[in-house]
Amino acid sequence: AQKVTQAQTEISVVEKEDVTLDCVYETRDTTYYLFWYKQPPSGELVFLIRRNSFDEQNEISGRYSWNFQKSTSSFNFTITASQVVDSAVYFCALSATDQTGANNLFFGTGTRLTVIP
Amino acid sequence: GAVVSQHPSRVICKSGTSVKIECRSLDFQATTMFWYRQFPKKSLMLMATSNEGSKATYEQGVEKDKFLINHASLTLSTLTVTSAHPEDSSFYICSARRKSATRKNLAGELFFGEGSRLTVL
């Protein structure tokens, strides 16, 4: 099965705290991509990162960092020194083949992050 | 980065009418566009995959006669909700995959539109 699980439905942190959003995936593909998207209250989806299955290097971009561990099928996302503007729903997604062989994007159910000032 | 524009961003219509939502890739060619539906506080559910010049592929449970998808050019796909009813009220988001001839998986970033909120009275 191609599946993404974001076990944390909602998280609240106080501003300046660090927060990690968990993402666990299942896939039968050997080549796949993982994504994180941010959906602020306005609704649009903002692309944050893409990682391919052959690249397990962790990545840091400003206050954002991602930890990809193939051994545990996880692709966790950490925001350091959180800010109120980080409040949003964050989606983890997997790009893999569906039953028809087409390449599709499978989304997790999202984690709603609230940063309290 | 690549820009995908959706129009209208909000639409309110009466029950029984049809509504068309446009999805345009503004600065790139998109061989494939995807239509998602998002219920309040829920994840995005893929409705259909639209390939330029061919019929859309609908996901299981999505009524193709209800949600008409047309991908007439490499920069435009439309979703028409026919004979809309209140249960069709939702947030509809499109995404576009940049044309790429290099990889089988074509798994470059997907670029999402801003979404269209449909309210059917």
Side-chain angles (χ1 to χ4, degrees):
Chain A
Q2 316 285 39
K3 185 181 174 182
V4 175
T5 301
Q6 293 180 257
Q8 304 149 309
T9 309
E10 297 192 28
I11 299 177
S12 291
V13 297
V14 177
E15 201 170 19
K16 296 184 183 176
E17 285 184 348
D18 298 348
V19 59
T20 295
L21 310 182
D22 298 333
C23 173
V24 175
Y25 63 93
E26 295 174 37
T27 179
R28 58 177 176 268
D29 291 12
T30 52
T31 301
Y32 52 91
Y33 289 77
L34 295 163
F35 300 76
W36 275 96
Y37 290 91
K38 175 181 180 179
Q39 187 179 41
S42 49
E44 78 276 16
L45 277 176
V46 178
F47 167 81
L48 295 178
I49 189 172
R50 176 188 68 157
R51 173 65 73 229
N52 78 50
S53 51
F54 296 109
D55 182 3
E56 285 193 72
Q57 254 190 336
N58 291 329
E59 182 157 338
I60 298 175
S61 175
R63 295 184 297 107
Y64 296 168
S65 62
W66 291 270
N67 183 349
F68 177 30
Q69 303 240 336
K70 235 172 155 175
S71 58
T72 55
S73 297
S74 66
F75 186 44
N76 296 339
F77 172 33
T78 297
I79 303 174
T80 57
S82 60
Q83 300 175 2
V84 173
V85 293
D86 296 327
S87 297
V89 179
Y90 290 86
F91 289 98
C92 180
L94 164 72
S95 177
T97 52
D98 66 14
Q99 290 175 332
T100 70
N103 190 247
N104 259 331
L105 198 60
F106 300 88
F107 282 88
T109 48
T111 298
R112 181 177 297 277
L113 173 66
T114 302
V115 181
I116 303 164
Chain B
V3 178
V4 174
S5 176
Q6 259 183 264
H7 178 80
S9 57
R10 289 179 184 273
V11 56
I12 300 172
C13 69
K14 291 183 179 178
S15 190
T17 61
S18 294
V19 174
K20 181 185 282 189
I21 301 170
E22 292 187 347
C23 177
R24 291 181 185 274
S25 55
L26 297 185
D27 52 359
F28 67 97
Q29 291 183 325
T31 50
T32 307
M33 288 186 171
F34 304 85
W35 286 94
Y36 295 85
R37 181 173 178 177
Q38 185 179 29
F39 293 98
K41 297 189 178 182
K42 297 288 185 183
S43 187
L44 286 78
M45 302 301 296
L46 179 65
M47 297 175 65
T49 302
S50 166
N51 292 300
E52 187 263 338
S54 63
K55 289 184 179 180
T57 303
Y58 289 81
E59 295 300 300
Q60 203 169 15
V62 177
E63 300 174 60
K64 56 183 70 175
D65 295 330
K66 173 79 170 172
F67 299 99
L68 300 179
I69 290 172
N70 184 276
H71 193 158
S73 76
L74 284 171
T75 59
L76 174 64
S77 177
T78 60
L79 165 67
T80 301
V81 183
T82 61
S83 187
H85 287 97
E87 58 265 30
D88 299 325
S89 298
S90 197
F91 192 63
Y92 294 88
I93 304 178
C94 74
S95 69
R97 174 178 285 143
R98 198 198 306 259
K99 184 177 179 181
S100 168
T102 57
R103 300 185 185 193
K104 181 184 175 184
N105 260 351
L106 295 179
E109 302 101 334
L110 289 182
F111 302 96
F112 284 82
E114 313 94 320
S116 300
R117 189 167 301 284
L118 170 63
T119 303
V120 184
L121 303 176

